[in-house]
Amino acid sequence: MIAPSLAQSPVWGQCGGMGWSGPTTCVSGASCVFSNPYYSQCLPGAASSSPQPPRTTTSASSASSTAQTSSGTAGGASPTSTAIIGQPTGPGLNKVAKASGLLYFGSATDNSELTDQSYLAILDNTNEFGQLTPGNSMKWDATEPSQNSFSFAGGDAILNLAKANGQIIRAHNLVWYSQLPSWVTNGQWTNATLTAAMTNHITNVAGHYKGQVYCWDVVNEPFNDDGSFRTDVFYNTIGESYIATALRAARAADPNAKLYINDYNIEGPGAKSTAMINLVKNLKAQGVPIDGIGVQAHLIVGELPGNIQQNLEAFAALGVEVALTELDIRMTLPATDALLQQQQKDYQTVVAACKAVPQCIGITIWDYTDKYSWVPSTFSGQGAALPWDQNLGIKPAYNGILAGL
């Protein structure tokens, strides 16, 4: 049998776009259709046989968005970007991820963003996103701002949105050193009293969402980069055992939810990854419930750690799930075509590493658009970290994710 020509892209494959050096024609039964300046795609049965510009109408909102891009924004959209506002043509990231064997491809979101109808239209599209993570509204300061006084309105709003769409919720998070109300950080605690307060918090918050979420990030960011335990009110008062206590309380409160420990800078092998491996081994040896390791994957363009797949395999060998839970890949602004192309390659590398590990069950980007990225306000001079730009148009990174899947 003669192998198919490498000069043609398959159905759903890329066939054109800025910087594209691959095939520009499609296999029989598919045609190359323009999606945006960065991406043309082989679509089944499409009428056009060559990349065609989209038919769009100009509106006040799109003109305003274009002006924002040209004048420079915090999110760092490419100065040459003319990406189309709205959803890309094609099967969608979540649809491709599920076809590739993953449980979901998802996005973080936050309550204030849900009033943005253009943003919401993309977030609601289950072809793109099969899972949501509330970025802030299930954290301790939001859910128990004063002791034993609970507030669930923000978390409920995102949960209800996900339910209406048929999307999975990754619940985030129960115990973390940051975003704690002052009554926790400044309390005069003993081991016994803080253990009781922490257990009460987990019991009420996880209990409120019992049976409605896929998993909980039970303990978030317990390690320093050198692999030592982070010193915070929980570790300083209770010791390492606070982690086991939190996991047991979460299991009791929401028995069917998967229980994760979530951290950053554990994408590749190193002291912090080794510490996570040792912790999970110790928890399992004690009979403590632990179902997953969340690999946040806040990364930098052109600076990916080596051996990501090998590291995910080492986590999976512990008998737990693995997920990329907060993926973004930031760059030093301004964004250039060269940086955007490298970002596309980096997204492909990371996503492909997850896909190659059967126990890596899902990928979440930390919001999907530069418009709402946390990066510029946290890392001065950096941004443009996500696959959708400031104007909700797709970037080359989107195509890197597709290629990785």
Side-chain angles (χ1 to χ4, degrees):
M1 178 167 47
I2 299 173
S5 170
L6 295 178
Q8 292 185 311
S9 284
V11 175
W12 305 120
Q14 186 170 358
C15 55
M18 190 180 300
W20 175 247
S21 58
T24 56
T25 59
C26 304
V27 296
S28 177
S31 299
C32 190
V33 176
F34 182 101
S35 178
N36 66 53
Y38 297 113
Y39 192 54
S40 296
Q41 185 177 40
C42 291
L43 302 181
S48 173
S49 61
S50 61
Q52 298 292 324
R55 292 187 295 273
T56 61
T57 57
T58 302
S59 66
S61 61
S62 63
S64 171
S65 297
T66 303
Q68 279 188 336
T69 300
S70 62
S71 63
T73 61
S78 167
T80 60
S81 172
T82 54
I84 307 307
I85 294 175
Q87 301 179 44
T89 303
L93 300 179
N94 182 56
K95 188 171 182 179
V96 174
K98 292 176 74 173
S100 300
L102 274 65
L103 181 62
Y104 60 80
F105 186 94
S107 176
T109 190
D110 220 338
N111 296 77
S112 60
E113 299 160 17
L114 303 184
T115 60
D116 182 337
Q117 293 304 310
S118 296
Y119 167 89
L120 192 59
I122 298 173
L123 189 72
D124 284 344
N125 182 355
T126 55
N127 285 335
E128 295 292 354
F129 304 115
Q131 172 269 319
L132 302 180
T133 300
N136 289 292
S137 55
M138 291 186 183
K139 291 174 178 173
W140 199 313
D141 60 349
T143 54
E144 194 182 3
S146 57
Q147 190 166 9
N148 213 32
S149 177
F150 293 90
S151 175
F152 299 112
D156 287 353
I158 294 175
L159 175 71
N160 291 335
L161 174 68
K163 281 184 174 180
N165 292 336
Q167 293 163 318
I168 292 168
I169 284 280
R170 291 196 81 260
H172 175 83
N173 57 59
L174 292 171
V175 180
W176 186 32
Y177 75 91
S178 187
Q179 289 183 239
L180 291 169
S182 60
W183 70 265
V184 178
T185 53
N186 298 331
Q188 300 301 307
W189 301 108
T190 65
N191 184 319
T193 58
L194 184 56
T195 296
M198 182 183 72
T199 300
N200 183 63
H201 177 78
I202 293 168
T203 299
N204 280 275
V205 177
H208 177 79
Y209 294 105
K210 178 181 179 181
Q212 302 179 86
V213 304
Y214 174 75
C215 67
W216 276 101
D217 288 330
V218 179
V219 176
N220 197 48
E221 301 175 3
F223 293 112
N224 297 311
D225 282 345
D226 64 2
S228 61
F229 281 101
R230 185 186 296 277
T231 55
D232 60 20
V233 64
F234 304 106
Y235 183 81
N236 293 349
T237 307
I238 303 171
E240 178 185 341
S241 66
Y242 86 88
I243 297 172
T245 299
L247 288 162
R248 288 188 173 113
R251 174 66 84 232
D254 194 357
N256 293 322
K258 302 281 189 178
L259 307 182
Y260 275 66
I261 299 174
N262 190 52
D263 216 327
Y264 63 92
N265 287 352
I266 58 169
E267 296 75 28
K272 199 171 189 179
S273 294
T274 299
M276 180 67 79
I277 289 170
N278 291 336
L279 173 61
V280 172
K281 284 180 177 178
N282 290 338
L283 291 169
K284 283 184 161 287
Q286 298 172 54
V288 177
I290 174 67
D291 302 307
I293 295 174
V295 179
Q296 290 184 14
H298 294 298
L299 301 167
I300 301 172
V301 167
E303 299 182 25
L304 298 188
N307 300 314
I308 295 175
Q309 181 181 331
Q310 172 192 326
N311 201 51
L312 298 180
E313 289 170 346
F315 290 154
L318 300 170
V320 295
E321 295 180 352
V322 182
L324 304 181
T325 57
E326 305 182 17
L327 175 62
D328 51 29
I329 309 180
R330 64 187 184 269
M331 65 182 70
T332 299
L333 300 176
T336 64
D337 288 339
L339 285 169
L340 292 168
Q341 293 301 322
Q342 183 61 51
Q343 185 183 55
Q344 176 178 355
K345 294 175 184 176
D346 290 345
Y347 265 102
Q348 180 175 348
T349 297
V350 176
V351 168
C354 175
K355 183 190 172 186
V357 180
Q359 296 87 347
C360 191
I361 56 97
I363 299 168
T364 308
I365 46 179
W366 204 241
D367 223 314
Y368 70 84
T369 166
D370 294 334
K371 185 175 183 179
Y372 297 118
S373 174
W374 71 297
V375 169
S377 63
T378 306
F379 300 96
S380 178
Q382 299 184 53
L386 294 161
W388 275 258
D389 69 14
Q390 284 279 105
N391 302 322
L392 308 182
I394 64 168
K395 293 156 58 181
Y398 181 98
N399 310 316
I401 295 170
L402 278 179
L405 293 169

